[in-house]
Amino acid sequence: MNDFYDRGAAHAEIGAKDLAMIGAIARWCECIYSKTSLFDALNKVANGIGAEAVALSRVSRAHPDHAKVVAFDMLGTSQTPTPLNKSFARTLLTLYFDSAKPGSTWFKSMSPDIEDPALETFQNRRKLKELVVIPLETTEKHFDFIELHFSDRLMSRQQAVLNYVAEVLANSWRKRDPGTFTESILQNAPTTKDLNPTTPILSVENPARLSRAEYRVCLLLSHGKSVNRVQSELEICKSTVRSHLRNIYAKTETHDLGELLCKLVAKPEARLIAKAKKHVA
């Protein structure tokens, strides 16, 4: 009986202002059955729930440090230097990343111990206060998530709406037409001219797709720390440092520590000159 009244109280908080979410769910379902684009569905979800940006991300089990992302950003991609173009699901879910229940809701504000330099930088530059991750599907090959970014802390009414619709989003996603996500990735894939070769490795865009651990290694190196000091501060063994560096060299197209440091600390003008020389050669 108490459970019944608890549900009634939660639903009572969902006022007329949140009815826009009904339209968002309807558009989401249209997308699932290939009647509209996934980008348009994310647009409706963002407007319906009042999010600044929304992303649907897919993380491969084979390559867990890389995520494919389809995102809708209220500011667009040309009006802000820090558009939403990466996944923060692993950061928020941490140890529960591969076991989180589809349709559950995860709030960053309820996980105060989370530390991720990329997420912190993104939120600070965009003046964002909350991140919510909803797992959609777990398969033998990948994990799918919806990630919502908000400019303000959520009121209990908004949290109730999210808890109410999260399961609907997950259930409908599992019934989607085959290829829905892949088709959206291909449609929204950036062309060569859209890519910015001068983007710093340690920018929020994380162009080299560094893992959280690799990002920290590069951050310490860029501050003038030696490899031994990096190992000490991160409290990891030498073999782990070497493994991180090998991965970093591959992702940043460098061959040794000297080349990596040059890329980490190079100014935009220097990167342009280096790129021009490489092109001429």
Side-chain angles (χ1 to χ4, degrees), residues 199-202 206-210 213-227 230 241-267 270-271:
T199 302
I201 291 173
L202 293 176
N206 191 15
R209 296 295 182 263
L210 300 173
E214 293 161 0
Y215 192 101
R216 285 180 173 178
V217 169
C218 287
L219 191 63
L220 290 174
L221 290 174
S222 71
H223 290 167
K225 309 288 186 181
S226 67
V227 173
V230 170
V241 174
R242 288 195 295 268
S243 177
H244 286 331
L245 286 174
R246 282 196 299 269
N247 292 334
I248 293 169
Y249 293 156
K251 292 179 179 181
T252 59
E253 297 183 352
T254 55
H255 300 89
D256 53 39
L257 186 60
E259 285 188 19
L260 174 62
L261 289 174
C262 286
K263 277 199 171 186
L264 290 176
V265 302
K267 296 181 179 180
R271 285 192 291 271

Side-chain angles (χ1 to χ4, degrees), residues 99-208:
S99 61
K101 179 183 177 182
S104 58
T105 50
W106 298 72
F107 299 85
K108 182 178 182 295
S109 58
M110 297 181 184
S111 305
D113 296 331
I114 287 178
E115 295 182 4
D116 182 351
L119 175 58
E120 183 178 349
T121 300
F122 176 73
Q123 288 188 318
N124 288 341
R125 290 182 179 178
R126 294 290 299 272
K127 298 181 179 179
L128 300 172
K129 300 295 177 59
E130 182 64 289
L131 163 65
V132 179
V133 172
I134 300 174
L136 294 179
E137 183 181 55
T138 298
T139 73
E140 294 181 353
K141 294 184 177 180
H142 63 256
F143 308 96
D144 291 345
F145 305 90
I146 274 190
E147 306 176 33
L148 304 103
H149 294 263
F150 298 87
S151 56
D152 296 302
R153 292 291 178 89
L154 300 181
M155 297 183 292
S156 58
R157 171 180 56 78
Q158 291 172 296
Q159 292 178 347
V161 171
L162 282 171
N163 288 326
Y164 188 75
V165 304
E167 191 170 351
V168 177
L169 294 173
N171 287 338
S172 57
W173 181 248
R174 288 195 293 269
K175 299 175 183 177
R176 68 191 181 280
D177 285 349
T180 299
F181 182 81
T182 301
E183 182 179 352
S184 295
I185 286 290
L186 294 175
Q187 289 176 347
N188 293 281
T191 61
T192 303
K193 66 180 180 180
D194 295 325
L195 298 176
N196 185 358
T198 67
T199 302
I201 291 173
L202 293 176
S203 67
V204 69
E205 290 84 358
N206 191 15

Side-chain angles (χ1 to χ4, degrees), residues 2 19 40 58 81 91 98 142 150 212 231 237 257 266 279:
N2 289 335
L19 291 178
D40 186 40
R58 170 167 292 177
T91 293
D98 57 358
H142 63 256
F150 298 87
R212 182 180 179 181
Q231 176 192 338
C237 63
L257 186 60
H279 180 73

Side-chain angles (χ1 to χ4, degrees), residues 54-111:
V54 180
L56 198 153
S57 59
R58 170 167 292 177
V59 181
S60 168
R61 285 183 182 271
H63 304 285
D65 292 328
H66 298 270
K68 295 180 179 179
V69 177
V70 176
F72 171 78
D73 196 316
M74 286 293 188
L75 294 183
T77 56
S78 60
Q79 297 164 298
T80 172
T82 53
L84 177 60
N85 56 13
K86 67 169 295 182
S87 171
F88 295 104
R90 178 175 290 277
T91 293
L92 184 54
L93 272 59
T94 58
L95 298 177
Y96 302 97
F97 178 78
D98 57 358
S99 61
K101 179 183 177 182
S104 58
T105 50
W106 298 72
F107 299 85
K108 182 178 182 295
S109 58
M110 297 181 184
S111 305

